[in-house]
Each structure stands twice: as C-alpha cells, then as structure tokens.
Amino acid sequence: MIKIGILKNKIETKLINYFLRNVPSYYYERSAKKIDISTDIPVFSSLAKSVISEGRTYLREDRLYTLFQCISRLPSNAVAIEIGVFRGGGSKFMAHLLQERGAGMLYVCDTFSGHADVDSSIDGEHRVNDNFSGVLVEDVKDYLKQYGNVRFIVGDIVKTSQQIQDKEINLIHLDMDVYPPTKFALEYFWPRIPVGGMIVGDDYGTSSCKGIKKAVDDFVAKTRDCFSIHLITGQVVIVKTGA
C-alpha cells in the first residue's frame, strides 16, 4: 500500500508540474475567485453562447467579451465597422448589441472571396483568394437579415472604404489576418474616429498573423493621439486620446 501511495504521489506531482509548465497561469491561478463571463454576466453570456453555438465565428467568449465591453461604452447612435466578417457570427454579436443600445449602425465589410492582397514577406502562409474564400455573401446577408442596422460593403476595403460616408466611426473591429488591408484601414479611418473611439485588432498576438502586429505597431509608433493595449486574448485595443 505504501508503494502504491508513493507511485500515486509521483504521478500527481508529474501532472501538476506538466500543467504548470504548459498552461498559462491566468487560466488557473485563483480561478475560483474570478468572475465567470460565461455565466455571471447574463446580458453578455446568453448572446455569446447563442452566437458561438451557430458555428459562424472563430471568436470565443474571451474575445467577444472585449467587443462587448467596447460597445457598452459607445453612445446610443454609434457607428461601428467590422472588416473581416467570415460567416457573420461576430457581426451578429455586434449588431445585436448596437441595436439594443439604440440607433447604432454596423458596416459589415468583406471581400467574401478571400484575401485581396497579402505581403508574402510578413503574412506567412496566407494567400490571395485562398483563405476564407468559401463564404457566400448571400448566405451571410440572410443570416443577418433580422438586423436593420446592418449595411454590407462587399469587396476589397482599399477600394470600397469610400462607401462609408459617416463623419464619425466610434468602433472598428479589424479581423483581416494580413498586413496590407490592416495597414490601410488603420490609416484611412483614424481621422474619422472621435476622441474615446476604439479599434479592436484581432490576432495581434497570434504567431500566424505577424502582419497584424507589424501594422499596429508601426501605426501606434507614428500616431501621437492614441495608446494601445495588448490583451491576453490575443487582441489589441487602440484608443484615441486626442492628445
């Protein structure tokens, strides 16, 4: 019995050591005392679960919660843009929250035929008209048809951006994975973002999307009226300060 007990302790020790080495501490340290966003924030939790269950977004509760917090701070007549839509799950999440807050408008922007442009020196295995190319725009439109506050902008954002005529853009969600359109969107839309407005960049901390980090870092380095925060979700939030 003693030998069995010693063996059990050794196995448990090895498992604990493996866990500590391979799982980031923010997933377990004092986790019992943390707020569970999947259940403890009803206005967010039910919507996030519903969107995720429909299988139309790669965003999970942690990244959706970032968008939830940003939208919760917007005025009731806010204008938001999502560039990089995939099958529309993230767009539905944003449109629903904006609609609940009042007259918020959401522009849904995508080529719906894959990347229009990539920088092969930065963007790794991403290819033009390859990644995310199997999405039908009519399918996404049908999925979002219940939201009267959604407007579709179809095509390369470099060529279609002028279709967005609003003077102020309060929130932009950039989820394009590659450098050229991300760089363009940051520079083009920034002058129309008011003080306190935000840009959320997805995949900033993802090794397969190095172009996102370069585009954001270069932009922040040369832009005086902003600061950025890299979140443990892998996202980055850029806030306009006006200073």
Side-chain angles (χ1 to χ4, degrees), residues 127-138:
R127 298 289 182 268
V128 172
N129 297 329
D130 184 7
N131 311 78
F132 309 104
S133 60
V135 179
L136 298 176
V137 63
E138 295 304 324

Side-chain angles (χ1 to χ4, degrees), residues 81-88 91 107-118 126-141 151-161 163-164 173 175-178 180-182 184-185:
I81 306 174
E82 181 171 56
I83 311 176
V85 173
F86 188 44
R87 297 183 63 207
S91 298
Y107 287 94
V108 173
C109 310
D110 205 307
T111 65
F112 297 99
S113 59
H115 299 312
D117 189 17
V118 302
H126 294 276
R127 298 289 182 268
V128 172
N129 297 329
D130 184 7
N131 311 78
F132 309 104
S133 60
V135 179
L136 298 176
V137 63
E138 295 304 324
D139 175 63
V140 181
K141 286 183 177 181
R151 297 291 181 271
F152 277 78
I153 305 292
V154 181
D156 178 3
I157 192 64
V158 175
K159 299 177 180 179
T160 62
S161 55
Q163 295 180 39
I164 302 175
H173 182 218
D175 192 4
M176 294 178 282
D177 291 2
V178 293
T182 302
F184 170 82

